[in-house]
Amino acid sequence: SAVGRGPEVPFSSEAYRISAVSRGKELRLRLVPLGPGASQDLVFRFGMSGSFRLCPAAQPPRHAHLRFFTRENPPRALCFIDVRRFGSWRLGDAWQPGRGPCVLSEYQAFRENVLKNLEDKAFDKPICEALLNQKFFNGIGNYLRAEILYRLKIPPFEKARTVLEALKEQEQARRKKNPSLTLSKKLKLKRENPDLLELCHAVPMEVITAETKLFDPDDSDNYAAFKNWLRCYLVPGMSSLRDRNGRTIWFQGEPGPMAPKGQTSRKKRTQLKADPEAPTPEVIPRTSKRRPRAAAKPPKPVTEEEEAADRPRKGRSRGRRKAAAAPDSSEPEPPVKAKRSRRTTARRGRGEA
């Protein structure tokens, strides 16, 4: 599309096949021609709102930045859709440098990469911020970090090294205590008492292996299933704070010793969970509360004297005196107080205007 931020894709073929493989927060597509021609690789990052959707080619959805057409009749298009345009793609098959092993497909390598690098300065930060570092937690995002920490009751602003070193010590003690445990018993213990790194694998796997498509925002039933799956993120009654990167972390209980100063924990109101589509109450402007009488009066025909009152403020009082000196009717007016404060005069003048 004209507003897409990715590069042009130098690929054209009458018939080709698309395959995909993912690693962490990236997805690699491979376009392979069924006839002569070279294949083409693309690596995608999705940002906050990127997704793929198969839809009629004649009616592409809005924000479809890249389309792959089928030969059906009528044809369809596999569209890369990104409303916020935070997503991107690049040519070639190389993964983005600086990303660690995938928490899903490379779990053992991911675990070793974290535990052997605990001296890295990334672990000087709170655990909620360290979990978004893709050098060590490739694949963990904002909602996943909240769900993982909530299940383990870990304060989000506890120091990352403190949390992970304790985990390392527990693992070593468990090995010394039970050296004769069989593999099946070890797996059972892990399932019953998972640690933080194990949940970095298990929690996203719950989403992937779910029977329903939890992330289809156009399907109200599926999106409702995703919201029901969440235990902490955006859940009413949970607290929230912004970390030093400006990302909101949801949690329950105390935030931890490294919580940012000057912030107060905000709680999501239960009313929003109960009825998210409830109409917003009408907000009454403050000005109407101050002068309800002026708003209730019917408009009067504008006279020359009143037009003078609408001129710049310098000549307002002179216009009002002129109007008082020449009343429209012959009936006597009620007596006017001789003394009037400047503030009252100015306020009444604004009300008339």
Side-chain angles (χ1 to χ4, degrees):
S1 70
V3 296
R5 294 182 177 178
E8 293 285 339
V9 181
F11 180 82
S12 179
S13 178
E14 289 297 322
Y16 61 97
R17 180 177 290 112
I18 298 180
S19 60
V21 61
S22 64
R23 183 176 185 268
K25 287 193 171 187
E26 296 181 291
L27 181 78
R28 182 168 63 204
L29 291 190
R30 173 158 288 178
L31 315 178
V32 181
L34 300 183
S39 61
Q40 176 67 58
D41 291 300
L42 303 169
V43 176
F44 287 81
R45 292 177 62 192
F46 293 90
M48 293 181 68
S49 60
S51 65
F52 277 98
R53 192 185 310 166
L54 192 62
C55 50
Q59 299 174 342
R62 294 183 63 192
H63 310 288
H65 301 305
L66 198 60
R67 285 172 280 170
F68 304 92
F69 297 97
T70 70
R71 295 185 66 183
E72 298 170 296
N73 192 14
R76 291 187 294 172
L78 179 66
C79 302
F80 175 64
I81 302 165
D82 187 12
V83 177
R84 300 189 180 187
R85 292 193 294 171
F86 291 162
S88 62
W89 67 86
R90 62 184 183 277
L91 305 179
D93 61 351
W95 302 112
Q96 186 182 25
R99 288 183 176 266
C102 177
V103 297
L104 291 173
S105 60
E106 303 165 302
Y107 171 67
Q108 286 302 328
F110 148 72
R111 187 179 183 91
E112 292 171 6
N113 184 44
V114 172
L115 294 180
K116 75 180 182 182
N117 290 294
L118 291 181
E119 297 302 320
D120 193 283
K121 62 181 181 180
F123 300 107
D124 293 334
K125 298 180 179 181
I127 186 62
C128 66
E129 294 179 14
L131 282 172
L132 295 184
N133 189 330
Q134 301 301 295
K135 180 181 177 181
F136 298 104
F137 296 90
N138 187 12
I140 300 300
N142 202 22
Y143 85 92
L144 285 172
R145 68 170 177 171
E147 296 298 313
I148 291 166
L149 294 175
Y150 169 77
R151 294 190 187 190
L152 294 173
K153 307 303 179 194
I154 296 175
F157 291 95
E158 184 65 63
K159 191 173 184 178
R161 188 176 291 108
T162 303
V163 175
L164 294 168
E165 280 182 345
L167 181 155
K168 191 175 181 180
E169 292 171 0
Q170 289 172 6
E171 186 175 274
Q172 292 173 350
R174 189 167 51 190
R175 286 178 182 175
K176 291 179 181 179
K177 188 176 181 180
N178 299 308
S180 60
L181 280 178
T182 62
L183 180 60
S184 60
K185 288 184 178 180
K186 288 180 180 178
L187 293 175
K188 183 180 178 181
L189 282 173
K190 285 186 177 182
R191 284 194 299 268
E192 292 174 352
N193 302 290
D195 61 34
L196 184 139
L197 297 181
E198 287 165 351
L199 284 188
C200 286
H201 173 80
V203 173
M205 281 298 296
E206 289 180 14
V207 182
I208 292 174
T209 58
E211 295 181 0
T212 57
K213 301 176 190 175
L214 295 181
F215 285 101
D216 188 356
D218 293 332
D219 189 320
S220 58
D221 293 335
N222 288 339
Y223 195 62
F226 169 64
K227 290 195 291 186
N228 290 332
W229 175 83
L230 293 170
R231 303 185 193 179
C232 177
Y233 182 76
L234 293 178
V235 172
M238 295 295 164
S239 303
S240 66
L241 285 172
R242 287 187 180 273
D243 62 23
R244 288 180 295 182
N245 299 318
R247 304 290 300 274
T248 301
I249 175 68
W250 299 84
F251 62 94
Q252 187 178 50
E254 294 297 322
M258 298 183 73
K261 307 252 188 233
Q263 285 193 53
T264 54
S265 177
R266 297 169 296 168
K267 285 197 175 183
K268 192 174 178 66
R269 288 178 291 181
T270 309
Q271 183 182 359
L272 299 178
K273 180 74 173 181
D275 189 7
E277 297 181 358
T280 306
E282 184 180 356
V283 179
I284 301 174
R286 188 179 295 178
T287 53
S288 63
K289 290 182 179 180
R290 287 178 181 172
R291 291 184 296 275
R293 294 179 183 177
K297 289 182 180 180
K300 296 180 181 179
V302 179
T303 63
E304 292 181 2
E305 289 79 5
E306 288 172 340
E307 285 181 358
D310 285 336
R311 291 172 190 163
R313 188 169 291 180
K314 187 175 181 181
R316 270 183 155 175
S317 59
R318 195 175 300 168
R320 281 195 298 272
R321 289 189 199 131
K322 186 177 180 182
D328 293 336
S329 62
S330 58
E331 296 179 3
E333 283 189 342
V336 180
K337 290 183 180 180
K339 292 185 179 181
R340 186 183 292 171
S341 68
R342 293 181 182 178
R343 186 179 300 174
T344 306
T345 304
R347 185 165 61 247
R348 291 185 182 177
R350 286 197 297 270
E352 291 172 3

